[in-house]
Amino acid sequence: MGYPFDDVDSGAWYANAVYWARLHQVASGTGEDTFSPNAPITREQFAQMMYNYAKYKKYDLTKTGDLSKFPDDGSVSDWAETAMSWANGNGLINGHEDSGLIDPAGNTIRGQAASIIMNFDKNVVK
């Protein structure tokens, strides 16, 4: 197994962060030995990381949202359903204003990431 994934150079500026995230089960990567450090992150992948981080910090994971209110709720990957429901229930990830879609496979843009992290601090961190 590479450090910490086969596609993460140990000298990369983000290598220690990726290694920490793997050790603490915050990020499992995109495959058994890959992290895809230069790939965009989807909304459901980001929700899963935030959920995993909340679990690592032992924050309350019981508050959930109702994904069935989104017209594309059936497109949430099975592995991400719990995290997306939790992220929605805690106000981290909501539907797009223009379409109402939860858009699990859509990329998280920088503004959305900042909003998710702010709402995590406001709604989850106690």
Side-chain angles (χ1 to χ4, degrees), residues 9-71:
D9 178 359
S10 63
W13 63 268
Y14 52 80
N16 286 339
V18 172
Y19 187 59
W20 175 91
R22 187 175 195 185
L23 284 175
H24 294 93
Q25 299 177 340
V26 172
S28 58
T30 57
E32 186 174 324
D33 292 319
T34 57
F35 186 74
S36 305
N38 295 313
I41 189 166
T42 66
R43 291 163 59 86
E44 66 185 5
Q45 289 169 338
F46 197 43
Q48 188 66 58
M49 282 188 185
M50 296 303 294
Y51 179 85
N52 292 348
Y53 181 70
K55 185 176 182 178
Y56 164 74
K57 295 295 285 183
K58 298 182 177 19
Y59 294 140
D60 182 11
L61 300 174
T62 59
K63 188 173 182 182
T64 59
D66 179 11
L67 297 180
S68 69
K69 67 184 178 184
F70 299 100

Side-chain angles (χ1 to χ4, degrees), residues 42-43 45 65 68 84 89 99 102 108 111 126:
T42 66
R43 291 163 59 86
Q45 289 169 338
S68 69
M84 285 292 283
S99 66
I102 192 88
T108 300
K126 302 292 184 221

